[in-house]
Amino acid sequence: NAGVTQTPKFRILKIGQSMTLQCTQDMNHNYMYWYRQDPGMGLKLIYYSVGAGITDKGEVPNGYNVSRSTTEDFPLRLELAAPSQTSVYFCASSRDRSTDTQYFGPGTRLTVL
Amino acid sequence: AQTVTQSQPEMSVQEAETVTLSCTYDTSENNYYLFWYKQPPSRQMILVIRQEAYKQQNATENRFSVNFQKAAKSFSLKISDSQLGDTAMYFCAFNDAGNMLTFGGGTRLMVKP
């Protein structure tokens, strides 16, 4: 049981490039989330999903897109990378509502130059 | 919108002593959930303790306990018998039974030998 896994661990992008951050969970959780953590700050919710085929915006969705075709996977897409997207990205999942304990992946450190 | 405030950016404690981390929040809801997460240098977010607002009894998990003061909107974390492995960032988080977990800015705790 691996929990929540994220790839890659680190990535450097040039301004305007695109990339997809992968997130997979093997706990059969319905809810999944993407957060970003800027230096010295708490986490902010980007997008979340309450089940396959259903996604919704969080607090800071601009510049990102998500999809949820399966229960296990919840990729985050950056279409036109900007320096403001330099951050650490965390994926998380919970069994039911977000009031349940959220289990986090190890994070992806992204730098946009 | 809910806000979560951690007024202590950094704290230190001697090994085996007790330390209390502060957290206040602002909400007009009556039913909600509060969490403390730990983020060690590995960056992995780990749940420390969870409190449901309708429960008057303070949550405890081994050496970790909370002082939940609903009227004062305060949710402090007490760590007893501090250990070197407790060195980490600690985040207080709030959920109003919706789909968004709101995090405070964090407190960096250093446990000294």
Side-chain angles (χ1 to χ4, degrees), chain B residues 4 12 22 27 29 34 36 39 48 50 60 70 77-78 84 88 100 104 109:
Chain B
V4 178
S12 63
S22 300
T27 184
E29 301 293 329
L34 293 159
W36 278 99
Q39 187 178 41
V48 175
R50 177 176 183 263
T60 62
K70 191 172 183 179
L77 175 70
K78 185 172 84 170
L84 296 178
M100 192 170 297
L109 176 67

Side-chain angles (χ1 to χ4, degrees), chain A residues 5-79:
Chain A
T5 57
Q6 292 182 236
T7 57
K9 286 188 169 55
F10 304 92
R11 182 74 184 267
I12 298 175
L13 281 183
K14 294 182 179 178
I15 294 172
Q17 286 185 321
S18 301
M19 76 164 294
T20 299
L21 282 67
Q22 301 292 345
C23 175
T24 300
Q25 54 92 7
D26 63 359
M27 297 174 283
N28 201 33
H29 283 172
N30 292 313
Y31 281 60
M32 295 187 75
Y33 315 84
W34 274 106
Y35 294 90
R36 61 177 286 173
Q37 184 181 27
D38 297 330
M41 306 288 284
L43 280 68
K44 292 189 175 180
L45 183 65
I46 304 171
Y47 271 96
Y48 67 96
S49 169
V50 304
I54 306 170
T55 63
D56 206 348
K57 295 177 181 179
E59 187 180 357
V60 289
N62 291 344
Y64 307 94
N65 280 300
V66 294
S67 59
R68 182 103 181 264
S69 56
T70 66
T71 299
E72 296 78 19
D73 300 307
F74 189 42
L76 177 72
R77 178 86 178 158
L78 283 71
E79 290 293 347

Side-chain angles (χ1 to χ4, degrees), chain A residues 9 31 35 37 40-43 45 48 58-59 88 90 97-99 101-102 104-109, chain B residues 33 35 37 39 42-47 50 89 91 95-106:
Chain A
K9 286 188 169 55
Y31 281 60
Y35 294 90
Q37 184 181 27
M41 306 288 284
L43 280 68
L45 183 65
Y48 67 96
E59 187 180 357
V88 180
F90 289 96
R97 296 185 309 173
S98 56
T99 51
T101 298
Q102 293 190 21
F104 285 80
T108 295
R109 182 179 295 278
Chain B
Y33 300 76
F35 306 82
Y37 277 90
Q39 187 178 41
S42 66
R43 266 198 343 238
Q44 182 79 46
M45 294 286 286
I46 304 164
L47 178 71
R50 177 176 183 263
M89 283 289 289
F91 291 97
N95 187 296
D96 64 354
N99 289 318
M100 192 170 297
L101 194 60
T102 301
F103 285 83

